[in-house]
Amino acid sequence: MSGERTVLYWDPMPQVDAVIGSFPRDRWWQSREQTFHGKWEERNWRNVPGPFYGAMTDNCWVGRLHAPRHMLYGDDTEYEQEFLYRQPQTAQELRDVIVAMQADPWAGWACDGDAHWTPELVREWWRERALLRDWITAKSRRWSVSDRADEREAAHGLADYLAYVDGGLAADLQAYMYFLDNGVGPTLVDRLPSL
């Protein structure tokens, strides 16, 4: 155990090309460039801070088929774009998330969040969590009793997102802020920035 570091933030970006390269090269295969066309200015505010985010994604509701612990649907209109409510924290989660992102025919996802997020922007996003909680609660109330099976299923994702907001998200954001400041994930002995 001596010399091992327990890192509190896993940086998925060095693994993206390897994950995409591991997919079968069939007619559905997409390169990194084909997968990520989302623009920072168009991102859905419900995305949790991190390298990946949904911007102008399609509303075909396929994300949860591949990454149900990471993706949800919602917009300020009835359009219901896809967005990421939990960043991938393992190689398998990254694979699931990229498969889901590649199912978007508009390629409205992006992986350049690290170039845009700053600790102060993460703090601003966190300060607005009451608005996020209100949105989750209202949407969950409607979807949990919907006649549509996909909306009832997505209500489970909303409950998971709310539990994440009220539970482990703060610590994950603090570790991400440390990563943004230092270029490496924090360990158990590092002092995390405040939210």
Side-chain angles (χ1 to χ4, degrees):
M1 288 274 207
S2 173
E4 284 186 32
R5 289 181 49 174
T6 301
V7 179
L8 303 177
Y9 175 76
W10 181 71
D11 179 12
M13 296 313 298
Q15 305 299 317
V16 170
D17 290 333
V19 168
I20 290 174
S22 73
F23 295 152
R25 298 252 177 168
D26 58 17
R27 67 185 183 121
W28 304 109
W29 186 84
Q30 298 173 43
S31 68
R32 181 183 187 136
E33 294 74 27
Q34 292 168 313
T35 303
F36 301 112
H37 286 254
K39 294 179 179 59
W40 177 256
E41 303 77 33
E42 298 173 346
R43 76 190 178 287
N44 188 318
W45 63 269
R46 295 161 186 86
N47 287 286
V48 297
F52 298 101
Y53 59 90
M56 291 300 293
T57 60
D58 191 17
N59 62 347
C60 53
W61 285 46
V62 295
R64 290 188 56 76
L65 298 175
H66 307 285
R69 296 281 327 271
H70 300 274
M71 293 194 175
L72 273 168
Y73 320 112
D75 205 339
D76 296 318
T77 66
E78 290 300 312
Y79 184 69
E80 306 295 4
Q81 293 176 331
E82 295 183 341
F83 67 90
L84 201 69
Y85 77 92
R86 181 181 281 113
Q87 295 287 331
Q89 297 180 355
T90 67
Q92 183 59 53
E93 289 179 2
L94 177 62
R95 183 179 181 77
D96 295 345
V97 163
I98 291 176
V99 167
M101 290 174 175
Q102 287 191 342
D104 175 24
W106 290 2
W109 290 94
C111 65
D112 63 353
D114 293 348
H116 298 285
W117 285 107
T118 64
E120 188 49 44
L121 285 178
V122 173
R123 286 183 186 99
E124 285 178 27
W125 185 90
W126 182 249
R127 283 193 294 267
E128 297 295 321
R129 70 187 176 282
L131 179 64
L132 179 63
R133 288 185 96 266
D134 290 347
W135 176 82
I136 292 171
T137 303
K139 184 68 79 174
S140 182
R141 205 176 297 128
R142 199 175 84 208
W143 280 356
S144 62
V145 296
S146 172
D147 292 339
R148 291 178 43 186
D150 57 352
E151 288 183 350
R152 290 192 310 274
E153 189 284 324
H156 295 290
L158 290 168
D160 187 39
Y161 192 11
L162 186 59
Y164 187 41
V165 169
D166 292 342
L169 179 56
D172 286 350
L173 292 179
Q174 287 177 288
Y176 181 58
M177 290 164 52
Y178 183 97
F179 171 80
L180 291 173
D181 274 343
N182 298 284
V184 295
T187 67
L188 294 172
V189 298
D190 291 314
R191 185 171 183 219
L192 298 179
S194 63
L195 271 176

